Amino acid sequence: MEKLSLLNGRFARIGFIVIAILHLSVTDISSQCNRTADSLELVKLYNLTGGPNWTNRKNWLVPGKSIDTWFGITLNTSGCVSYISLNNNNLEGDIYNFNFQNLFYLNLYNNRLKNRIPNFDKLPLLQKLYLGRNQLIGSIPNFDQLKNLEVLELFENELTGLIPNFDKLTKLQSLHLFDNQLSDTIPNFDKLPNLQLLSLRINNLTGSIPNFDKLPKLTLLSLGDNELTGTIPNFNGLHRLQDLDLNNNKITGSIPNFNNLKDLQSLNLGSNYLSDTIPNFDMLPNLKYLYLHINQLIGKIPYFDKSPNILSLQLSRNKLKGSVPNFDKISKLQTLDVSYNQLTGGIPIFEKLSNIINLKFSYNKFGGIIPLLNHCIILKNLEVESNNFTFESLKNLNNPAVNYSYAPQNKFFVDTTILINQNQNLSLNLGIDHSLSNNTYNWINTTNIAWRMDPTYDVHSNTYNFKNINNNDMGRYTVKVTNPEFPKLILESKDINFKITTGYNEIEIKQEKENEFLKNNCYFNPIINQVICPDNLKIHSIAFFDLLGHQMNLTFAYTQTDNTVEIDPTQFSSGIYFIRLQTNLGILSQRIFITK
């Protein structure tokens, strides 16, 4: 019994201790939830942030209205403030170190709060902090006391200095610091394994891009509009990444194929210094938005056959060459921009692109006839200006629902200098729009303003006949072409220069390579139709060109010895031609006049 009594005494003492601990715990909790203190802190918040001028201040400081009815305030089950949402409410004044021991949500987004951000060490339970779009200044605290913080948004302020690594915020999931004046390099954030959203764009960040291999949950990485340099990591550890924005930096090198980013939906690498060719991105089946504009990319445009979900493809302002694919495998495409490149050929028919809305082909070297594109039933915008299109090319642009941009176009024809004898006739065909009869061709002598077109000339013909050429006809010509169906466009030719020769024996020798052969006396004798050169000049090959610069197939129109070319005039029409001789002393170009 004595032993039992002793045991009972021990149990009694242990029970007393447990009861005491429970009592202390309850007392501690009640001290943390002090509704009176929270009420006074709300009054302080109201007075220090211009409460009378708030957009919505319903029930604030109204006698008889409890704080749970005040606009933007939510209480927990113990009656203390747990939720403050006063965003877009015209709060102004200095931000300060709020004291709400039970607060887990604070949203003061889009107000006019100023001064430096406190470390908020009196908000121990805070999980979400929204201070974006204010007028906050200074550096960013590391918020070491906010160990429960999951969301931190400080974007669109005037914050400066370095970005903390936030090592103590291990629960952080969303970090938005964009549109500030933050500088120096980007931390790796190695201690933030739960981070999913990271946006640091529109700052003054420098240095290379970390690979963020300790952030496996990252789905958004936005670092655009900074001063970042170096090459792009392949981000092999970011298997969940969906949105990657590195736009408008100073990044160099080639584009990785990102084979491990199978969830990637948006890739923006525009406005950098990227070079080399464009990958096929064969392992990115979910890719929807691809922006590679304003770089130095070369080569041909891939077909993107393994990325069937692409909606927008931006490749403008690069150095891409070749033709544009039909993109039959990316039939969901809505916007295609390949303007400001060196692309050639015609515009594809795009038979499978029924969802296309915007097509931009401006500032390339496209030619031919633009297809009807009537199957592109929701097409709204087609830009084809500054290419090699003529009115004949544009005749299919007849859909009133589409906004067409087709002016200006590159100059047609070729820069030409014509040597001709006085009192000779010459017919010059511009070589465009043969199927159209409603073009108007206006010849202008830009060096002789007194020159006038022949009044008998058919202004709807692209062939002009110069009759009895004299000194008044000399000078530099340009031809301007209009068409009533396309009033915004005036086609203009390159320069056509006329010079009068003194006789058939005069030839022009053009030096295309530095050598001594110009000291030799090569000449064309039109009487016997021979080009004769000195013995020390040996002719290796011969080519003939018309006035448009097109090489002619006249293999059997001449015979040659080492230094003499005898031309068969029966193989030519009367007119002016170029003959180019490849010789042992270099290249010799001459104009010759064939008469019959």
mmCIF file of all heavy atoms in Angstrom, residues 394-421:
data_model
loop_
_atom_site.group_PDB
_atom_site.id
_atom_site.type_symbol
_atom_site.label_atom_id
_atom_site.label_comp_id
_atom_site.label_asym_id
_atom_site.label_seq_id
_atom_site.Cartn_x
_atom_site.Cartn_y
_atom_site.Cartn_z
ATOM 1 N N LEU A 394 -0.531 40.298 -107.450
ATOM 2 C CA LEU A 394 -1.497 40.657 -106.414
ATOM 3 C C LEU A 394 -2.943 40.440 -106.833
ATOM 4 O O LEU A 394 -3.853 40.736 -106.058
ATOM 5 C CB LEU A 394 -1.318 42.132 -106.023
ATOM 6 C CG LEU A 394 0.077 42.572 -105.586
ATOM 7 C CD1 LEU A 394 0.097 44.079 -105.341
ATOM 8 C CD2 LEU A 394 0.534 41.843 -104.338
ATOM 9 N N LYS A 395 -3.181 39.934 -108.018
ATOM 10 C CA LYS A 395 -4.542 39.918 -108.564
ATOM 11 C C LYS A 395 -5.510 39.044 -107.763
ATOM 12 O O LYS A 395 -6.725 39.202 -107.886
ATOM 13 C CB LYS A 395 -4.524 39.467 -110.021
ATOM 14 C CG LYS A 395 -3.978 38.075 -110.255
ATOM 15 C CD LYS A 395 -3.886 37.781 -111.752
ATOM 16 C CE LYS A 395 -3.329 36.386 -112.008
ATOM 17 N NZ LYS A 395 -3.187 36.119 -113.464
ATOM 18 N N ASN A 396 -4.998 38.132 -106.936
ATOM 19 C CA ASN A 396 -5.874 37.279 -106.141
ATOM 20 C C ASN A 396 -6.264 37.890 -104.795
ATOM 21 O O ASN A 396 -6.992 37.261 -104.024
ATOM 22 C CB ASN A 396 -5.204 35.925 -105.891
ATOM 23 C CG ASN A 396 -5.166 35.068 -107.133
ATOM 24 O OD1 ASN A 396 -6.056 35.154 -107.985
ATOM 25 N ND2 ASN A 396 -4.138 34.254 -107.271
ATOM 26 N N LEU A 397 -5.798 39.084 -104.518
ATOM 27 C CA LEU A 397 -6.129 39.730 -103.237
ATOM 28 C C LEU A 397 -7.499 40.393 -103.374
ATOM 29 O O LEU A 397 -7.621 41.590 -103.611
ATOM 30 C CB LEU A 397 -5.065 40.771 -102.864
ATOM 31 C CG LEU A 397 -3.627 40.272 -102.791
ATOM 32 C CD1 LEU A 397 -2.719 41.366 -102.248
ATOM 33 C CD2 LEU A 397 -3.507 39.035 -101.932
ATOM 34 N N ASN A 398 -8.532 39.599 -103.194
ATOM 35 C CA ASN A 398 -9.882 40.094 -103.478
ATOM 36 C C ASN A 398 -10.873 39.810 -102.356
ATOM 37 O O ASN A 398 -12.076 39.835 -102.576
ATOM 38 C CB ASN A 398 -10.405 39.459 -104.778
ATOM 39 C CG ASN A 398 -10.389 37.933 -104.714
ATOM 40 O OD1 ASN A 398 -10.030 37.368 -103.684
ATOM 41 N ND2 ASN A 398 -10.785 37.300 -105.794
ATOM 42 N N ASN A 399 -10.374 39.531 -101.145
ATOM 43 C CA ASN A 399 -11.270 39.227 -100.029
ATOM 44 C C ASN A 399 -11.458 40.478 -99.177
ATOM 45 O O ASN A 399 -10.526 40.935 -98.524
ATOM 46 C CB ASN A 399 -10.686 38.089 -99.185
ATOM 47 C CG ASN A 399 -11.655 37.596 -98.131
ATOM 48 O OD1 ASN A 399 -12.597 38.289 -97.760
ATOM 49 N ND2 ASN A 399 -11.418 36.389 -97.636
ATOM 50 N N PRO A 400 -12.650 41.061 -99.166
ATOM 51 C CA PRO A 400 -12.854 42.312 -98.410
ATOM 52 C C PRO A 400 -12.717 42.151 -96.906
ATOM 53 O O PRO A 400 -12.560 43.134 -96.183
ATOM 54 C CB PRO A 400 -14.286 42.714 -98.789
ATOM 55 C CG PRO A 400 -14.945 41.448 -99.214
ATOM 56 C CD PRO A 400 -13.873 40.616 -99.849
ATOM 57 N N ALA A 401 -12.749 40.909 -96.405
ATOM 58 C CA ALA A 401 -12.627 40.686 -94.962
ATOM 59 C C ALA A 401 -11.181 40.682 -94.498
ATOM 60 O O ALA A 401 -10.919 40.646 -93.296
ATOM 61 C CB ALA A 401 -13.291 39.354 -94.589
ATOM 62 N N VAL A 402 -10.239 40.722 -95.444
ATOM 63 C CA VAL A 402 -8.828 40.636 -95.111
ATOM 64 C C VAL A 402 -8.171 41.999 -95.280
ATOM 65 O O VAL A 402 -8.419 42.712 -96.265
ATOM 66 C CB VAL A 402 -8.107 39.599 -96.002
ATOM 67 C CG1 VAL A 402 -6.618 39.545 -95.666
ATOM 68 C CG2 VAL A 402 -8.735 38.220 -95.817
ATOM 69 N N ASN A 403 -7.322 42.368 -94.315
ATOM 70 C CA ASN A 403 -6.538 43.590 -94.419
ATOM 71 C C ASN A 403 -5.221 43.253 -95.117
ATOM 72 O O ASN A 403 -4.375 42.579 -94.552
ATOM 73 C CB ASN A 403 -6.264 44.164 -93.028
ATOM 74 C CG ASN A 403 -5.355 45.383 -93.072
ATOM 75 O OD1 ASN A 403 -5.443 46.193 -93.969
ATOM 76 N ND2 ASN A 403 -4.471 45.488 -92.092
ATOM 77 N N TYR A 404 -5.065 43.751 -96.348
ATOM 78 C CA TYR A 404 -3.868 43.472 -97.127
ATOM 79 C C TYR A 404 -2.894 44.643 -97.044
ATOM 80 O O TYR A 404 -3.279 45.794 -97.258
ATOM 81 C CB TYR A 404 -4.221 43.236 -98.602
ATOM 82 C CG TYR A 404 -5.090 42.034 -98.852
ATOM 83 C CD1 TYR A 404 -6.408 42.172 -99.253
ATOM 84 C CD2 TYR A 404 -4.586 40.754 -98.696
ATOM 85 C CE1 TYR A 404 -7.208 41.072 -99.486
ATOM 86 C CE2 TYR A 404 -5.377 39.643 -98.924
ATOM 87 C CZ TYR A 404 -6.687 39.803 -99.320
ATOM 88 O OH TYR A 404 -7.472 38.709 -99.550
ATOM 89 N N SER A 405 -1.636 44.342 -96.738
ATOM 90 C CA SER A 405 -0.568 45.344 -96.790
ATOM 91 C C SER A 405 0.370 44.926 -97.913
ATOM 92 O O SER A 405 1.116 43.949 -97.762
ATOM 93 C CB SER A 405 0.182 45.415 -95.463
ATOM 94 O OG SER A 405 -0.685 45.784 -94.414
ATOM 95 N N TYR A 406 0.309 45.635 -99.040
ATOM 96 C CA TYR A 406 1.070 45.230 -100.218
ATOM 97 C C TYR A 406 1.978 46.333 -100.758
ATOM 98 O O TYR A 406 2.635 46.148 -101.783
ATOM 99 C CB TYR A 406 0.119 44.774 -101.326
ATOM 100 C CG TYR A 406 -0.932 45.800 -101.716
ATOM 101 C CD1 TYR A 406 -0.633 46.843 -102.586
ATOM 102 C CD2 TYR A 406 -2.223 45.731 -101.224
ATOM 103 C CE1 TYR A 406 -1.574 47.789 -102.941
ATOM 104 C CE2 TYR A 406 -3.181 46.661 -101.567
ATOM 105 C CZ TYR A 406 -2.856 47.689 -102.432
ATOM 106 O OH TYR A 406 -3.795 48.633 -102.782
ATOM 107 N N ALA A 407 2.028 47.483 -100.112
ATOM 108 C CA ALA A 407 2.849 48.592 -100.605
ATOM 109 C C ALA A 407 3.819 49.037 -99.506
ATOM 110 O O ALA A 407 3.464 49.033 -98.325
ATOM 111 C CB ALA A 407 1.954 49.765 -101.013
ATOM 112 N N PRO A 408 5.074 49.380 -99.902
ATOM 113 C CA PRO A 408 5.625 49.383 -101.269
ATOM 114 C C PRO A 408 6.134 47.999 -101.660
ATOM 115 O O PRO A 408 6.040 47.056 -100.873
ATOM 116 C CB PRO A 408 6.788 50.360 -101.144
ATOM 117 C CG PRO A 408 7.288 50.125 -99.749
ATOM 118 C CD PRO A 408 6.057 49.857 -98.905
ATOM 119 N N GLN A 409 6.688 47.893 -102.875
ATOM 120 C CA GLN A 409 7.385 46.700 -103.328
ATOM 121 C C GLN A 409 8.795 47.094 -103.760
ATOM 122 O O GLN A 409 9.083 48.269 -104.019
ATOM 123 C CB GLN A 409 6.647 46.041 -104.497
ATOM 124 C CG GLN A 409 5.339 45.369 -104.113
ATOM 125 C CD GLN A 409 5.536 44.185 -103.203
ATOM 126 O OE1 GLN A 409 6.495 43.438 -103.346
ATOM 127 N NE2 GLN A 409 4.617 44.013 -102.248
ATOM 128 N N ASN A 410 9.682 46.107 -103.805
ATOM 129 C CA ASN A 410 11.039 46.364 -104.278
ATOM 130 C C ASN A 410 11.010 46.818 -105.732
ATOM 131 O O ASN A 410 10.094 46.491 -106.477
ATOM 132 C CB ASN A 410 11.900 45.104 -104.147
ATOM 133 C CG ASN A 410 12.056 44.653 -102.705
ATOM 134 O OD1 ASN A 410 12.010 45.465 -101.785
ATOM 135 N ND2 ASN A 410 12.231 43.359 -102.514
ATOM 136 N N LYS A 411 12.013 47.560 -106.122
ATOM 137 C CA LYS A 411 12.089 48.013 -107.506
ATOM 138 C C LYS A 411 12.280 46.831 -108.448
ATOM 139 O O LYS A 411 12.992 45.872 -108.126
ATOM 140 C CB LYS A 411 13.240 49.008 -107.673
ATOM 141 C CG LYS A 411 13.004 50.335 -106.964
ATOM 142 C CD LYS A 411 14.127 51.316 -107.243
ATOM 143 C CE LYS A 411 13.844 52.671 -106.591
ATOM 144 N NZ LYS A 411 14.898 53.664 -106.888
ATOM 145 N N PHE A 412 11.616 46.903 -109.620
ATOM 146 C CA PHE A 412 11.747 45.824 -110.580
ATOM 147 C C PHE A 412 12.794 46.191 -111.637
ATOM 148 O O PHE A 412 13.385 47.257 -111.613
ATOM 149 C CB PHE A 412 10.394 45.520 -111.229
ATOM 150 C CG PHE A 412 9.847 46.637 -112.084
ATOM 151 C CD1 PHE A 412 10.084 46.676 -113.450
ATOM 152 C CD2 PHE A 412 9.082 47.650 -111.518
ATOM 153 C CE1 PHE A 412 9.584 47.694 -114.233
ATOM 154 C CE2 PHE A 412 8.580 48.682 -112.298
ATOM 155 C CZ PHE A 412 8.823 48.703 -113.658
ATOM 156 N N PHE A 413 13.025 45.286 -112.589
ATOM 157 C CA PHE A 413 14.034 45.425 -113.630
ATOM 158 C C PHE A 413 15.427 45.311 -112.991
ATOM 159 O O PHE A 413 15.567 44.892 -111.852
ATOM 160 C CB PHE A 413 13.862 46.769 -114.370
ATOM 161 C CG PHE A 413 14.308 46.740 -115.811
ATOM 162 C CD1 PHE A 413 13.734 45.863 -116.709
ATOM 163 C CD2 PHE A 413 15.300 47.579 -116.286
ATOM 164 C CE1 PHE A 413 14.132 45.829 -118.035
ATOM 165 C CE2 PHE A 413 15.702 47.547 -117.603
ATOM 166 C CZ PHE A 413 15.117 46.671 -118.482
ATOM 167 N N VAL A 414 16.476 45.678 -113.736
ATOM 168 C CA VAL A 414 17.846 45.673 -113.221
ATOM 169 C C VAL A 414 18.500 46.990 -113.590
ATOM 170 O O VAL A 414 18.144 47.609 -114.597
ATOM 171 C CB VAL A 414 18.675 44.506 -113.813
ATOM 172 C CG1 VAL A 414 18.169 43.172 -113.304
ATOM 173 C CG2 VAL A 414 18.677 44.537 -115.327
ATOM 174 N N ASP A 415 19.420 47.437 -112.755
ATOM 175 C CA ASP A 415 20.175 48.637 -113.113
ATOM 176 C C ASP A 415 20.875 48.389 -114.452
ATOM 177 O O ASP A 415 21.636 47.435 -114.599
ATOM 178 C CB ASP A 415 21.204 48.965 -112.034
ATOM 179 C CG ASP A 415 20.562 49.561 -110.797
ATOM 180 O OD1 ASP A 415 19.569 50.293 -110.946
ATOM 181 O OD2 ASP A 415 21.029 49.268 -109.690
ATOM 182 N N THR A 416 20.604 49.256 -115.423
ATOM 183 C CA THR A 416 21.066 49.015 -116.793
ATOM 184 C C THR A 416 21.652 50.284 -117.387
ATOM 185 O O THR A 416 21.083 51.376 -117.217
ATOM 186 C CB THR A 416 19.896 48.549 -117.680
ATOM 187 O OG1 THR A 416 19.332 47.363 -117.102
ATOM 188 C CG2 THR A 416 20.360 48.237 -119.095
ATOM 189 N N THR A 417 22.776 50.142 -118.069
ATOM 190 C CA THR A 417 23.335 51.235 -118.879
ATOM 191 C C THR A 417 23.352 50.780 -120.335
ATOM 192 O O THR A 417 23.898 49.722 -120.652
ATOM 193 C CB THR A 417 24.745 51.602 -118.425
ATOM 194 O OG1 THR A 417 24.690 52.066 -117.072
ATOM 195 C CG2 THR A 417 25.323 52.714 -119.308
ATOM 196 N N ILE A 418 22.729 51.578 -121.192
ATOM 197 C CA ILE A 418 22.609 51.219 -122.604
ATOM 198 C C ILE A 418 23.422 52.201 -123.440
ATOM 199 O O ILE A 418 23.187 53.413 -123.393
ATOM 200 C CB ILE A 418 21.138 51.233 -123.055
ATOM 201 C CG1 ILE A 418 20.341 50.197 -122.245
ATOM 202 C CG2 ILE A 418 21.018 50.962 -124.547
ATOM 203 C CD1 ILE A 418 18.865 50.212 -122.525
ATOM 204 N N LEU A 419 24.387 51.682 -124.218
ATOM 205 C CA LEU A 419 25.128 52.480 -125.185
ATOM 206 C C LEU A 419 24.465 52.304 -126.538
ATOM 207 O O LEU A 419 24.271 51.181 -127.002
ATOM 208 C CB LEU A 419 26.581 52.010 -125.258
ATOM 209 C CG LEU A 419 27.444 52.303 -124.028
ATOM 210 C CD1 LEU A 419 28.814 51.688 -124.214
ATOM 211 C CD2 LEU A 419 27.549 53.787 -123.781
ATOM 212 N N ILE A 420 24.118 53.417 -127.168
ATOM 213 C CA ILE A 420 23.384 53.331 -128.423
ATOM 214 C C ILE A 420 23.828 54.437 -129.356
ATOM 215 O O ILE A 420 24.238 55.526 -128.919
ATOM 216 C CB ILE A 420 21.863 53.397 -128.164
ATOM 217 C CG1 ILE A 420 21.087 53.006 -129.419
ATOM 218 C CG2 ILE A 420 21.443 54.772 -127.649
ATOM 219 C CD1 ILE A 420 19.636 52.715 -129.153
ATOM 220 N N ASN A 421 23.746 54.170 -130.661
ATOM 221 C CA ASN A 421 24.128 55.175 -131.646
ATOM 222 C C ASN A 421 23.023 56.199 -131.834
ATOM 223 O O ASN A 421 21.838 55.904 -131.736
ATOM 224 C CB ASN A 421 24.431 54.509 -132.985
ATOM 225 C CG ASN A 421 25.747 53.785 -132.959
ATOM 226 O OD1 ASN A 421 25.825 52.665 -132.465
ATOM 227 N ND2 ASN A 421 26.789 54.429 -133.453
#
